[in-house]
């Protein structure tokens, strides 16, 4: 069977599913902390626990269920993950209307959704290889990356407006519906003859670490994993610290903070759109090295943001450069990763990759909060920035990527 090229019907349906769920996810960005604060009137400890423990526990759950996901066809796994996310999120507005909503329920929903996110991401990576020709993988990943940055730029402001007008659980309802729509899009793709599956009589304990075994044994994927884990965790750890700095010490209004971190997402769209052209001119290895290096040099500047309008301008400029480099790097990374992974190992390896990243983000964010409590947010942000400057040494020196 001939694999459809990027603009083919199956890819368009997969892209529609991705765009729908991305729109819902970013529309509901920070929905649970807002509900915890506005509805349940919780303090900072509970809000921090909800933000960190949910994804971390979800990563553990995904690790335990990963081997069962890996021995099934990707498309049913994707549909199942979407339906699980829909069902879990749908319990929130129901409990809210009945007056039963509590922090433990929000935490449980966050765990289930985080685990289903990882399962969907891993399965969709394997599925993408069956509906897009190898030469079109970069085009496909570039479109996914562009869609992500558009949703990131537009979703949170619209979500904040919706919460203010329609109530705190509005965006949760929209997010749940987006996953139901995503499942419908994936179902419309129909069966794919080349869709991989792994025959296994039973799941063994050693299967829990198979994904890490594949990644850590590969001379290119191992340093890429270590680099991504380090960079993503250090960058994400500065996000709550920047909020404390800008909304507290510097006295910026919430809309100014949202503008400073929302407007630069255009840079991610620009970077994603440039990725294919730069790869065609310089090659994937060069773009990985340069883009991977440049995305690590910006975050520390936030520690020196002054008060007033020039502070907003500086944050926007720094964030534009940061997300632009990330938008350039991410689709090339995703393409390289898919091309280097054997078909039978894609789901396990991508699950291990997502679990590693989410667990590291949770841990480093917690450590960053502890450091900020002792030294203040500026010092903690600067420390993360200094550590980021060392991360390019983790990038592979040589990357050999051959189309298959």
């Amino acid at each position: 069977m001939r694999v459809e090229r990027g603009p083919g019907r199956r890819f368009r349906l997969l892209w529609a599913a991705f765009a729908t769920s991305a729109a819902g996810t970013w529309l509901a960005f920070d929905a649970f902390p807002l509900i915890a604060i506005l509805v349940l009137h919780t303090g900072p400890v509970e809000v921090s626990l909800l933000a960190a423990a949910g994804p971390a526990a979800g990563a553990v759950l995904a690790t335990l269920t990963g081997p069962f996901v890996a021995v099934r066809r990707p498309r049913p796994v994707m549909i199942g993950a979407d339906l699980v996310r829909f069902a879990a999120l749908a319990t929130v507005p129901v409990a809210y209307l009945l007056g039963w909503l509590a922090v433990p329920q929000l935490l449980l929903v966050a765990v289930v959704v985080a685990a289903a996110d990882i399962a969907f991401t891993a399965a969709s990576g394997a599925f993408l290889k069956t509906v897009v020709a190898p030469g079109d993988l970069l085009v496909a990943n570039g479109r996914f990356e562009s869609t992500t940055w558009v949703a990131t730029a537009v979703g949170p402001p619209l979500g904040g407006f919706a919460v203010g007008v329609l109530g705190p659980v509005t965006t949760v309802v929209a997010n749940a519906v987006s996953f139901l729509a995503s499942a419908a899009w994936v179902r419309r793709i129909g069966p794919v003859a080349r869709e991989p599956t792994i025959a296994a009589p039973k799941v063994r304990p050693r299967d829990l670490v198979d994904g890490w075994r594949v990644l850590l044994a590969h001379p290119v994927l191992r340093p890429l994993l270590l680099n991504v884990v380090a960079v993503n965790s250090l960058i994400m750890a500065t996000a709550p610290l920047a909020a404390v700095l800008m909304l507290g010490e510097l006295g910026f209004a919430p809309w100014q903070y949202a503008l400073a971190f929302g407007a630069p997402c255009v840079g991610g769209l620009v970077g994603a759109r440039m990725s294919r052209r730069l790869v065609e001119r310089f090659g994937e290895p060069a773009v990985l090295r340069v883009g991977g290096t440049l995305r690590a040099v910006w975050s520390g500047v936030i520690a020196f943001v002054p008060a007033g309008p020039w502070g907003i301008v500086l944050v926007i400029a720094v964030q534009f450069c940061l997300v632009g480099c990330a938008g350039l790097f991410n689709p090339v990374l995703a393409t390289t990763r898919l091309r280097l992974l054997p078909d039978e190992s894609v789901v396990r390896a991508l699950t291990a990759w997502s679990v590693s990243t989410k667990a590291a983000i949770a841990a480093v964010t917690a450590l960053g909060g502890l450091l900020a409590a002792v030294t203040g947010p500026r010092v903690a942000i600067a420390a993360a920035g200094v550590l980021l400057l060392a991360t390019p040494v983790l990038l592979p020196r040589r990357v050999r990527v051959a189309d298959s």
Side-chain angles (χ1 to χ4, degrees), residues 238-250 252 257 261 302 377 381:
T238 64
L241 304 179
V244 171
L245 174 63
M246 295 179 65
L247 297 174
E249 178 182 327
L250 299 179
F252 289 117
Y257 172 78
F261 285 91
I302 301 297
I381 293 171

Side-chain angles (χ1 to χ4, degrees), residues 28-44 46-47 50 92 96 101-103 106 156 159-172 254:
F29 182 70
D30 275 349
F32 280 13
L34 285 175
I35 292 173
I37 294 169
L38 299 177
V39 177
L40 304 178
H41 308 293
T42 58
E46 291 88 347
V47 173
L50 187 61
V92 174
Y96 172 74
L101 190 61
V103 171
L106 292 180
F161 176 78
V163 168
V165 174
L166 301 175
V169 301
T170 303
T171 57
V172 177

Side-chain angles (χ1 to χ4, degrees), residues 17 72 393:
R72 285 159 176 80
V393 302

Side-chain angles (χ1 to χ4, degrees), residues 1-402:
M1 175 180 176
R2 185 177 69 85
V3 180
E4 293 185 23
R5 297 186 67 81
R9 172 182 173 274
R10 288 194 175 103
F11 172 73
R12 289 197 299 270
L13 290 172
L14 183 61
W15 190 12
F18 179 88
T20 302
S21 60
T25 297
W26 284 102
L27 187 71
F29 182 70
D30 275 349
F32 280 13
L34 285 175
I35 292 173
I37 294 169
L38 299 177
V39 177
L40 304 178
H41 308 293
T42 58
V45 174
E46 291 88 347
V47 173
S48 298
L49 176 66
L50 187 61
V60 174
L61 180 60
T63 301
L64 298 176
T65 59
F68 298 92
V69 171
V71 298
R72 285 159 176 80
R73 293 185 179 274
R75 191 174 71 96
V77 170
M78 294 162 64
I79 295 173
D82 275 334
L83 294 179
V84 166
R85 291 186 286 188
F86 165 74
L89 289 169
T91 66
V92 174
V94 172
Y96 172 74
L97 292 175
L98 295 175
W100 297 343
L101 190 61
V103 171
Q105 180 185 352
L106 292 180
L107 182 58
L108 179 60
V109 172
V111 171
V112 173
V113 170
D117 284 344
I118 293 174
F120 184 94
T121 300
S124 64
F127 191 65
L128 181 63
K129 294 185 72 172
T130 70
V131 298
V132 174
D136 290 321
L137 281 173
L138 182 56
V139 175
N141 284 312
R143 291 179 182 179
F144 289 157
E145 186 72 12
S146 299
T147 302
T148 297
W149 287 113
V150 171
T152 306
V154 176
L158 290 180
F161 176 78
V163 168
V165 174
L166 301 175
V169 301
T170 303
T171 57
V172 177
V173 174
N175 195 18
V177 172
S178 76
F179 291 126
L180 191 62
S182 173
W185 286 118
V186 175
R187 186 177 183 278
R188 286 188 61 190
I189 296 175
V192 178
R194 292 181 65 252
E195 188 175 353
T197 188
I198 301 172
K202 61 180 180 179
V203 175
R204 300 158 298 179
R206 67 186 299 270
D207 293 335
L208 294 173
V209 296
D210 268 355
W212 283 280
R213 187 178 293 112
V214 170
L215 293 172
L216 296 177
H218 199 285
V220 174
L221 294 176
R222 181 179 61 252
L224 282 176
L225 172 64
L226 296 176
N227 174 267
V228 170
V229 166
V231 171
N232 288 6
S233 59
L234 288 168
I235 289 177
M236 293 303 296
T238 64
L241 304 179
V244 171
L245 174 63
M246 295 179 65
L247 297 174
E249 178 182 327
L250 299 179
F252 289 117
W255 70 266
Q256 292 174 313
Y257 172 78
L259 175 66
F261 285 91
C265 291
V266 176
L269 176 61
V270 173
R273 296 295 298 270
M274 291 175 58
S275 60
R276 184 177 66 165
R277 296 179 183 178
L278 291 177
V279 165
E280 290 174 349
R281 182 169 182 179
F282 299 106
E284 287 186 19
V287 175
L288 275 178
R289 287 194 299 270
V290 175
T293 299
L294 291 179
R295 82 195 202 286
V297 303
W298 306 103
S299 291
V301 179
I302 301 297
F304 305 99
V305 170
W310 285 111
I312 296 294
V313 172
L314 178 60
V315 173
I316 290 176
V318 168
Q319 287 297 114
F320 183 90
C321 295
L322 171 61
V323 300
C325 295
L328 171 65
F329 176 83
N330 289 341
V332 184
L333 167 69
T335 301
T336 300
R337 192 172 53 192
L338 285 178
R339 288 179 177 169
L340 292 177
L341 284 171
D343 288 349
E344 67 274 11
S345 301
V346 170
V347 174
R348 284 190 173 96
L350 293 184
T351 299
W353 193 290
S354 295
V355 168
S356 301
T357 304
K358 290 181 180 294
I361 288 174
V364 176
T365 299
L367 291 174
L370 292 175
L371 179 61
V374 176
T375 64
R378 288 188 185 270
V379 174
I381 293 171
V386 171
L387 292 175
L388 276 166
L389 293 177
T391 58
V393 302
L394 297 173
L395 289 167
R397 295 185 179 183
R398 294 183 179 180
V399 181
R400 294 182 181 274
V401 181

